[in-house]
Amino acid sequence: MIWSVLFPSGGDPLETGKKRGPKTDNPKPYRMAVKYDEECKQILEAYCEQENVNKMEAARRGIKKLKGDLNQK
């Protein structure tokens, strides 16, 4: 089995509870899939190039801008 070659201790690291990647002060455990049209694609790509960020960072920034539109009750 390939896992025994990659992980001599045995087992998949996801099954053993070991985390992969660097530690962070701001974990992002939630995932999102989005469908968008050509206009949104062009805007997103232009923004990402201008601001030198990836698409998810651009989406996070856009979501945070929505906070001001929330009704404060």
Side-chain angles (χ1 to χ4, degrees):
M1 180 157 209
I2 196 158
W3 285 112
S4 61
V5 175
L6 296 174
F7 304 100
S9 61
D12 180 344
L14 297 177
E15 291 176 4
T16 60
K18 295 180 183 176
K19 294 183 181 182
R20 299 186 313 192
K23 292 183 180 182
T24 178
D25 293 334
N26 186 16
K28 296 167 184 71
Y30 305 105
R31 298 182 62 91
M32 178 175 67
V34 178
K35 293 180 89 172
Y36 49 95
D37 60 17
E38 184 64 29
E39 179 184 13
C40 289
K41 178 182 178 282
Q42 290 176 1
I43 293 168
L44 180 60
E45 288 176 351
Y47 180 85
C48 289
E49 186 174 329
Q50 174 183 302
E51 299 298 317
N52 195 29
V53 296
N54 62 36
K55 290 177 183 176
M56 274 313 306
E57 178 57 28
R60 285 185 204 102
R61 290 178 182 184
I63 291 168
K64 288 177 181 179
K65 285 187 176 188
L66 297 174
K67 187 175 182 178
D69 293 343
L70 294 173
N71 292 329
Q72 301 299 323
K73 292 184 178 182

